[in-house]
Every structure is written in structure tokens, then in C-alpha cells.
Amino acid sequence: MADLESLTQRVLSACADLARMSQEPGRITRTFLSPPMRQVHAYLKEWMERLGMSVWVDPVGNLRGYYPANKPTAPRLLIGSHLDTVPNGGAYDGALGVVLAVALLEALGGRRLGFGVEVIGFSEEEGVRFGVPFIGSRALVGRADAALLALKDEQGVSVAQALRDFGLEPERVGGAALEGEVLGYLEFHIEQGPVLESLEYPLGLVEAIVGQSRLEVGFRGKAGHAGTTPMHLRRDALAGAAEWIGLVEREAWGEPGLVATVGQIQALPGAGNVIPGEVRCSLDVRHALDEVRTRSVAHLITRAQQVAQRRGLELSWEVKLDQGAVPCDPTLLERLEWAVQDCELPVHRMPSGAGHDAMVLAERVPSAMLFLRSPGGLSHHPDERVLPEDVTAALRVGLRWLEILEEHGV
């Protein structure tokens, strides 16, 4: 068995190496099937093949590697996370989960288990390029349909064309779906928040992933000259959107546990001396209870309609994602808790406020997550970090968890 402290350094070094594989010099930006994803695949493929794994890229661009069991007819366990990033993101969000999965298998020192282990590096989770997240994991549960393939990015390139440009065949995307007996899925991930750090705990057991809604909201008014159009005759789409954005924040403050964010805004025609005639903006709403989330989304749209009507604007909206809250599998979670206890680490169960591939995989297989603390609570940020001792703790827990699964099953 490998020395876990040395393997921890290997994990941190690998994350740093992957962070340099970016679309933008000096920034970590790696979107769905962008050119640096080829480098990422080659880097991880070489490592996995050294461990005796078979490695392939599936029809939706997920990197997949299989570590054989001690008998050919055994079921398999999935461990993974995503390889894409947000623009100017961090080195650990997503990538750490894939690297930890490979390192966990290296820690076995060649020992085969009673089940195979498939490591998955999802091609897309963040929703940056096409405005819809989880393209990689959706394909595994059979939800890569024609509507998904037809989505286009800002350059007018469709998902189907992006697959072709990467050397894949979009008509075969159904071949990415899971087949055979799958025991479950585990995702290591940084917390992306401040809770574990505030408790001084290295790890957290995710009980559930909150539901989330993502929408695109549009305000349409009338563009006009900024100097010659009197204030009372204006139909300023940006002013209307700004009023509504303030309401979004206030409404979220008024509902316990609700978070609502407008993170993107585009004003057209986009000139400093022109009244904005059209604005498109995002809306992200999350809550642990689906009924609260859906009620809040409906209320926020009503408020947008009121703003638009008062200002003489047209309103449109499109739901991009409506993902219900997902509880983690109780048996996998229990086994994970046993592993944490056996490693003499504090046990803390918590929800995840962020979306993860685990919430999609849970449609098809039992799923669980293990959080590593995020120093400063930072994520989706260049200063995102992870502590070496927490990586070592995650490897220890992961190894013990595999042993428990062999002893007790799933």
C-alpha cells in the first residue's frame, strides 16, 4: 500500500498540473470539450493506465477508467467528479474529486477488490458553455436527448458540433449510458463553503443536495439616444432589470434557507450612449425543500412581471434547469460514517448548497458525497485551496470505506 502522505503530495501536484491546462493564460478556465480538455485526458489516462486500468473517452466526452475486480463477473463502483471549471476558477473544484479517485486506487497497491471501480471525469458540470449544467452525468443516466444536443453556445456552436469537433459522434451519445450492475457512486468534493472550517473539521458527510432552478429572464424595452430621450419617455430594459435584481435579493433574505442569485447580465445594444433596449439575465434559486424553491421562483417571476408592466417592458423567461433536492443514499452514507469513525475523525452530516454530478447519478444508482473543508470558504475563485492533511484524511476514509463495502456490501 502506498504511503498516504506521499500520495497526498501526488494529489496536490496533479491538481496544480491540471490547473495549468486552461483556455486562458494565467487563469483557470476549462469549459466543455475545450482544447485543454485533451491535455487533461492525456495526463489522467497515463496515470490510470500505469495502475492497470482500461481507459476511454465515452461519446459525450467523459473520461472513464476501469480498475478490474478480482473476478470478471463482479459489479462495479463509480467514483468521480467533473473536469470542467467556471471562468477564472480554482484548481480543486471538480478536479480534486477525479484525482482523489485515481490516487485511492493507487493506494491499493495493486490489490483487487470484490468489485470493479470505474473512475469518471465528467466532461461538463458547471453549465458555462451551453447554459445548462451536468451534460456529462446526464448522458450516464440516459438524458442526453436531441434537445440537449441542439443547444448552442455564444459562438453558435451546438453541443452536437462540439462533440464532432472533439472527434466524437453525437449520434452515439446514448452509448455513454450506464450498463450492468452498478453498486453506487461516490464523489469527493471541496465543500465550497465555510461550515467545516468553522467547526475545524477536515471532512463532512453530505446528507442531501439542495434543489435548484436556473432560468434566463429577459426584459425588452426600446433602445434610444441617451442624450435626446427624456426620462419620462424611456423604456429602459436595464433599469427594469436592475430594479428586479434588487427585489430578488430582498425576497431571498425574507425566506429562511433560500438563496437566489443573478450572476449574469447582458445589456443590448451595449453602448454607453444608448438606452438599453433589451436585457437578458440569469436567475439561480436554491433551497433544501422543493416546494419552497418552486414557490419562490414563481413569486420572483411575478415580481418581474409587475416591474415590466409598470415600466412598459415586455418580459420573457425560460427554465434552463429544474432539479429537485436529492438525498444521498442512506446505506452508502452509513458505510461512509463508519469509515470516518474508524479513522477517528469527527463525524458531521450536512447538506450541500451547490449542485453536483451526484444529484444526477442518484437517478440511476445509490450516490454519496464526502466534502473536504474549503479554507476561507472559497470556491469558484483562483484562491480556492485544500489542506494537505484533509487530503490525507480523505484518502484514509476512502480506503476504509472500500474495505467496509467489501465486508458488508452496499
Side-chain angles (χ1 to χ4, degrees):
M1 185 177 291
D3 173 68
L4 293 189
E5 280 71 25
S6 298
L7 202 50
T8 291
Q9 293 306 312
R10 174 77 174 96
V11 167
L12 297 174
S13 175
C15 287
D17 290 341
L18 296 180
R20 287 188 284 271
M21 300 172 190
S22 172
Q23 294 165 244
E24 300 180 287
R27 289 159 51 103
I28 304 172
T29 302
R30 192 169 55 243
T31 58
F32 176 65
L33 299 187
S34 55
M37 200 66 82
R38 296 185 189 278
Q39 298 172 269
V40 171
H41 286 178
Y43 182 99
L44 293 171
K45 181 174 185 286
E46 190 274 334
W47 187 5
M48 288 193 279
E49 287 181 338
R50 279 196 286 107
L51 301 180
M53 300 173 68
S54 54
V55 185
W56 69 101
V57 176
D58 74 14
V60 80
N62 298 319
L63 180 69
R64 301 168 73 166
Y66 180 70
Y67 185 84
N70 55 22
K71 56 182 179 181
T73 57
R76 63 201 158 114
L77 179 73
L78 311 178
I79 309 177
S81 193
H82 61 98
L83 293 170
D84 66 319
T85 76
V86 297
N88 197 28
Y92 303 100
D93 175 16
L96 176 67
V98 183
V99 171
L100 268 173
V102 181
L104 194 61
L105 297 179
E106 182 168 328
L108 292 174
R111 178 166 62 92
R112 303 299 188 197
L113 305 171
F115 46 83
V117 179
E118 182 177 328
V119 174
I120 307 177
F122 290 108
S123 56
E124 202 284 337
E125 185 259 12
E126 298 288 5
V128 172
R129 182 172 178 183
F130 292 97
V132 171
F134 310 123
I135 293 176
S137 50
R138 285 186 193 204
L140 262 70
V141 299
R143 287 207 281 122
D145 56 16
L148 182 68
L149 294 174
L151 291 174
K152 294 185 178 182
D153 64 14
E154 291 183 352
Q155 282 69 48
V157 177
S158 68
V159 172
Q161 187 59 51
L163 291 170
R164 291 190 192 95
D165 293 344
F166 204 74
L168 302 170
E169 300 175 57
E171 59 272 15
R172 300 182 61 186
V173 75
L178 292 171
E179 295 181 348
E181 185 180 358
V182 180
L183 296 175
Y185 171 73
L186 174 66
E187 184 165 355
F188 295 97
H189 207 284
I190 57 172
E191 180 197 349
Q192 302 181 278
V195 174
L196 290 174
E197 184 179 49
S198 70
L199 296 170
E200 298 184 355
Y201 289 172
L203 306 174
L205 301 166
V206 177
E207 288 188 301
I209 303 169
V210 303
Q212 59 175 292
S213 299
R214 295 191 191 183
L215 296 85
E216 182 179 279
V217 179
F219 292 85
R220 182 183 292 274
K222 185 175 182 180
H225 195 291
T228 62
T229 309
M231 298 301 293
H232 71 284
L233 295 179
R234 297 185 179 209
R235 293 168 55 207
D236 188 328
L238 182 54
E243 180 183 346
W244 175 69
I245 291 168
L247 291 172
V248 169
E249 183 184 42
R250 287 198 290 277
E251 297 287 346
W253 271 104
E255 180 66 59
L258 184 75
V259 291
T261 306
V262 177
Q264 287 181 312
I265 186 166
Q266 182 183 28
L268 300 173
N273 61 347
V274 179
I275 300 163
E278 183 179 357
V279 168
R280 292 193 291 268
C281 52
S282 63
L283 175 64
D284 184 310
V285 180
R286 309 186 192 203
H287 197 277
L289 298 177
D290 289 336
E291 60 185 43
V292 175
R293 174 177 54 85
T294 54
R295 183 179 70 240
S296 298
V297 169
H299 181 62
L300 291 172
I301 292 300
T302 297
R303 298 305 299 269
Q305 290 172 321
Q306 292 169 346
V307 169
Q309 184 176 19
R310 189 173 63 255
R311 289 177 170 270
L313 307 174
E314 297 175 16
L315 181 76
S316 63
W317 68 92
E318 180 182 359
V319 177
K320 296 289 189 178
L321 176 71
D322 182 15
Q323 176 67 59
V326 177
C328 287
D329 181 74
T331 303
L332 284 183
L333 192 59
E334 178 188 53
R335 305 290 192 259
L336 205 52
E337 183 170 315
W338 292 353
V340 173
Q341 291 172 334
D342 289 351
C343 292
E344 299 182 338
L345 293 166
V347 173
H348 179 68
R349 293 190 175 214
M350 61 190 300
S352 170
H356 299 284
D357 291 300
M359 68 197 303
V360 178
L361 267 292
E363 299 175 20
R364 171 70 170 77
V365 298
S367 298
M369 292 191 71
L370 186 70
F371 273 168
L372 286 73
R373 111 181 86 184
S374 296
L378 280 177
S379 183
H380 287 184
H381 190 281
D383 294 337
E384 178 181 273
R385 293 191 302 121
V386 69
L387 300 177
E389 57 266 34
D390 295 353
V391 173
T392 303
L395 288 170
R396 288 174 56 211
V397 168
L399 284 170
R400 180 60 190 137
W401 184 69
L402 293 176
E403 293 170 353
I404 289 171
L405 292 184
E406 280 210 292
E407 294 167 7
H408 300 277
V410 177

